[in-house]
Amino acid sequence: MRITQFHIPTLKETPSDASVISHKLMLKAGMIRQIASGLYTLMPLGLRVVQKISNIIRDEINKIGGSEVLFPIVQNNDVWVRSGREKGYCGPETLRMKDRNGVDMLFSPTAEESAQLIFEMDIKSYKQIPVAFYQINTKFRDEIRPRFGLMRCREFIMMDCYSFDVNEDLARKTYDNYFCAYLEMFKKMGLVAVPMRAASGEIGGDLSHEFHVIAETGESGIFYDKKLDEMRQNIGNFNIDDLKNVYAKTDDEHSSENCPIAKENLVEKRGIEVGHIFYYGDKYSKQMDIKIQGQDGKLFHPVGGCYGIGVTRIMAAAIEANSDEKGIIWHKSIAPFEVILLNLSPKDENCVKKCDEIYEKLKLQGIDILYDDSDNSAGFKFNNADLIGIPTQIILGSKSLEQGEVEIKERKTGDVKKVRIENINDVIRV
Amino acid sequence: MRITQFHIPTLKETPSDASVISHKLMLKAGMIRQIASGLYTLMPLGLRVVQKISNIIRDEINKIGGSEVLFPIVQNNDVWVRSGREKGYCGPETLRMKDRNGVDMLFSPTAEESAQLIFEMDIKSYKQIPVAFYQINTKFRDEIRPRFGLMRCREFIMMDCYSFDVNEDLARKTYDNYFCAYLEMFKKMGLVAVPMRAASGEIGGDLSHEFHVIAETGESGIFYDKKLDEMRQNIGNFNIDDLKNVYAKTDDEHSSENCPIAKENLVEKRGIEVGHIFYYGDKYSKQMDIKIQGQDGKLFHPVGGCYGIGVTRIMAAAIEANSDEKGIIWHKSIAPFEVILLNLSPKDENCVKKCDEIYEKLKLQGIDILYDDSDNSAGFKFNNADLIGIPTQIILGSKSLEQGEVEIKERKTGDVKKVRIENINDVIRV
């Protein structure tokens, strides 16, 4: 993409109305713009990150048999009455409305009910399951005091998934699959995520884990057994029950007196909650009286769980976890672009020609490249590239063109190496 | 994708509550499910079509310089007061709500106002434009009598785009670019689309075109000069003004007495409106008093237009345009999958092994393939494959395996050819 055709409204000054790093940097890098209290437009750069995060989530959920759907955003209140959650779950954060026929509707805060309805329509026999429906869609939470940018806004994007199994054993295995898939996706996104046992609250059930991304600026303190760090890196080699039960607690629940982990084995960090999974058994199928036929010919209530991830929240958490004084440092897998090409001499025809050539060639090879073909000064381009945090910078100006070389800079380390123009591919294609 | 891991709840019987073909076939093929009046879940197969259509739109809009964003779905009513449209545009079809602070909000029916707000924040000078923001997002229209499935539902997906230019000449050129991009995308989707001059209504401005997809079951009669058919196929070779002004009218506006086209040159068809573009000049920037600095140093109101396409409506229109008594006939570019592999002998180990092998090989080559690896009968698989309408079927059973051959059937024509298993690629990779 040419930067002159792609709207990235970066700011010189750090916005004074933002207090957390991700909010400041997303505004400064032109990734988001607020258009009403707690309501943000995802600008082109921000949307690309959201799309990359979404695709990593899709890949992992598809692998374990999830089917992607899109539930309606507007729900009928009746179905919440049917599930018995109309009073409990739908608090003042729920945005309610009446349609023109006077029917009570609401802006979907979650979709357990919708998933049960879909299940009820088409699934009649144990032979048709396991099945799981997931969506990546917009949610609304009417925060009384929206703040911290995308960390506590009102409208945001979530992945929410609902699984159905024949019996508790199988459903708990499905839960384990999601548990592992979550660790896998965070790893792919270059994030350190800590799973921890959690209360199930209004969702229900007796088994639940939260996933927190480690970041110095995290909203809560977290304490965990240091063996978790090793386990997380080698998910397949460990017993899933060990992984699920390793000591990990937020500061609300951790107490240094009663902690079973020796001090030297305890890691203390700060974290941001980005995911939450639940096993809720037959809570919804029972309450909504949804049954299918079992192997023995008898009707039974299917069991299952639900699995949520905050997509826009992950974007914010990734910035909280990885930035420096110059700006954002994206992991390659979720960066808005993998490579940025800077033309330092836009008035030198030869340099323009060579940059155009490099850009077209890399693009043709499927490299996800942003090309700063603007008339801005070299200094501006350097600062801008560091601010928006694309992992690899290819830098070419009149002088280096004379030498037949580009500079390739890694945003994270700041390391620069000179590379012959004809050898760019050896460095770029990893 | 293996069909056993991908939820396609096809129906044996045609649903009796559906009156139009697209509604019937989308229900029967398991693409959509209604969960409240006019509110549909896009099931896995339906969502894939929506994603393919969306990507074709993205490609064409990106090419002409559009920047993809995501505006909030919930809007503050204040901004509609500012644009002067709060009374005019937001009729009873608009879903309104109050947030918990009592602020009047609404479910975005369109985003001219949001686009103007984003523009106002970051664009200060003529040097920063042209610019255009587009999104693919959910819209709500509170139809008093939802019907015809996705053709007249309440929640749907649209692409809406908003362009900004320095002066009327350039803005009208931008309009022309969108006009051509629309023709190009419909062509890519395998649809015959007729552009016709239209009234601007509440959007405003003096120039507007609707795009209708030709289908026997179309909602309105359309009449057009037959030279349009040739022009549409060779967009680049024709004067854009000829294209824009060629005779084309809906039956509301056409009159056989006053028609300037000779009877033998007049084509009469039925059509479904799927897109609408507008040039509205400075209507919004003036009303909202948004100005930027011109080349002469003076402030001025930027001018522009907006461009809408119904993404879910295109899916329905494509089915109305292309189906037969067996089911849907997808064009390759928007088919949920390009190829379906049918294993007719799921109890024959050798056949399973060979099908697995073919599937893995084609998948690895990047072919978008659905694999019917279920235990269903051959008859069921044939009917199902014809119903869901994937363009190419690869058919393998024990008998043909003995001959070392598969059958390759084109869904559209029904043509079958026998191909050596090792030569599948010669036929599949087009």
Side-chain angles (χ1 to χ4, degrees), chain A residues 327-342:
Chain A
I328 302 165
I329 301 173
W330 292 113
H331 185 265
K332 189 179 169 181
S333 65
I334 59 172
F337 295 90
E338 291 174 20
V339 174
I340 183 168
L341 169 64
L342 307 182

Side-chain angles (χ1 to χ4, degrees), chain B residues 140-333:
Chain B
F140 196 95
R141 188 183 151 89
D142 199 358
E143 293 283 352
I144 199 154
R145 219 185 113 213
R147 61 206 145 129
F148 309 145
L150 293 194
M151 296 285 274
R152 188 152 298 194
C153 57
R154 297 203 288 174
E155 204 179 301
F156 49 90
I157 298 173
M158 271 190 70
M159 187 291 293
D160 46 324
C161 182
Y162 309 89
S163 70
F164 297 85
D165 272 288
V166 168
N167 61 41
E168 185 171 338
D169 269 5
L170 291 169
R172 287 185 187 268
K173 273 188 192 124
T174 297
Y175 180 94
D176 290 351
N177 290 340
Y178 280 84
F179 182 95
C180 293
Y182 270 45
L183 291 179
E184 196 60 43
M185 30 178 119
F186 292 122
K187 197 171 140 193
K188 283 201 176 152
M189 293 175 200
L191 298 170
V192 179
V194 174
M196 51 183 85
R197 280 301 293 262
S200 294
E202 286 293 341
I203 298 286
D206 65 356
L207 175 61
S208 172
H209 282 87
E210 288 173 2
F211 292 79
H212 291 249
V213 165
I214 301 292
E216 272 173 43
T217 54
E219 60 206 346
S220 38
I222 55 179
F223 298 83
Y224 64 90
D225 187 338
K226 74 173 184 188
K227 73 180 175 192
L228 182 63
D229 283 328
E230 196 195 334
M231 292 165 108
R232 211 181 26 224
Q233 290 306 313
N234 303 286
I235 304 167
N237 299 340
F238 284 91
N239 183 311
I240 172 77
D241 288 321
D242 291 346
L243 256 167
K244 274 157 61 189
N245 294 321
V246 68
Y247 185 85
K249 287 193 189 299
T250 60
D251 44 11
D252 286 349
E253 306 205 359
H254 171 78
S255 129
S256 51
E257 286 113 60
N258 302 321
C259 179
I261 308 298
K263 214 176 168 185
E264 64 272 22
N265 292 328
L266 193 70
V267 181
E268 184 181 349
K269 300 267 187 185
R270 299 198 68 80
I272 299 165
E273 190 195 336
V274 290
H276 203 156
I277 64 177
F278 302 85
Y279 168 71
Y280 49 58
D282 60 4
K283 172 178 165 166
Y284 296 91
S285 60
K286 217 167 191 170
Q287 175 69 33
M288 293 173 76
D289 197 24
I290 291 168
K291 288 178 189 167
I292 61 172
Q293 198 166 43
Q295 201 164 0
D296 58 5
K298 286 183 192 153
L299 292 176
F300 72 99
H301 297 292
V303 290
C306 69
Y307 317 91
I309 294 188
V311 177
T312 37
R313 201 158 218 266
I314 286 176
M315 175 159 72
I319 296 175
E320 295 288 341
N322 296 296
S323 72
D324 62 17
E325 69 290 351
K326 292 176 184 163
I328 302 165
I329 300 172
W330 291 114
H331 185 265
K332 190 178 167 182
S333 66

Side-chain angles (χ1 to χ4, degrees), chain A residues 1 4-7 9-11 33-37 39-45 47 51 58 62-76 92-93 95-101 105 107 114 117-118 121-123 128 130-134 137-138 140 142-144 154-155 157, chain B residues 1 4-7 9-11 33-37 39-45 47 51 58 62-76 92-93 95-101 105 107 114 117-118 121-123 128 130-134 137-138 140 142-144 154-155 157:
Chain A
M1 190 69 72
T4 47
Q5 283 180 27
F6 192 75
H7 187 62
T10 52
L11 304 174
R33 287 293 180 263
Q34 177 171 317
I35 65 171
S37 170
L39 299 178
Y40 291 87
T41 294
L42 289 175
M43 302 298 290
L45 218 50
L47 182 60
Q51 288 165 340
R58 279 190 179 105
N62 288 347
K63 265 188 214 162
I64 55 173
S67 286
E68 188 176 2
V69 303
L70 198 69
F71 296 117
I73 288 175
V74 175
Q75 298 178 326
N76 199 312
E93 292 85 10
L95 195 60
R96 292 171 172 282
M97 62 286 260
K98 277 186 199 296
D99 73 7
R100 67 195 292 190
N101 292 318
M105 312 294 286
F107 197 111
S114 301
L117 290 180
I118 290 298
M121 284 180 215
D122 287 311
I123 310 238
Q128 293 170 271
V131 71
F133 305 121
Y134 77 93
N137 207 348
T138 301
F140 195 95
D142 198 358
E143 293 283 354
I144 199 153
R154 297 203 290 174
E155 203 179 301
I157 298 173
Chain B
M1 190 69 74
T4 47
Q5 284 180 27
F6 192 74
H7 188 62
T10 53
L11 305 174
R33 286 294 179 261
Q34 178 170 319
I35 65 172
S37 169
L39 299 178
Y40 292 88
T41 295
L42 289 175
M43 301 300 289
L45 217 51
L47 183 59
Q51 287 165 341
R58 278 189 180 106
N62 288 346
K63 266 187 214 162
I64 54 173
S67 286
E68 189 177 2
V69 303
L70 199 69
F71 295 118
I73 288 176
V74 176
Q75 298 178 327
N76 200 314
E93 294 84 11
L95 195 59
R96 294 173 171 280
M97 63 285 262
K98 277 186 198 294
D99 73 7
R100 67 195 293 189
N101 292 318
M105 313 293 288
F107 197 111
S114 301
L117 289 180
I118 290 299
M121 283 181 216
D122 288 311
I123 310 237
Q128 293 170 272
V131 71
F133 305 121
Y134 78 94
N137 207 349
T138 301
F140 196 95
D142 199 358
E143 293 283 352
I144 199 154
R154 297 203 288 174
E155 204 179 301
I157 298 173

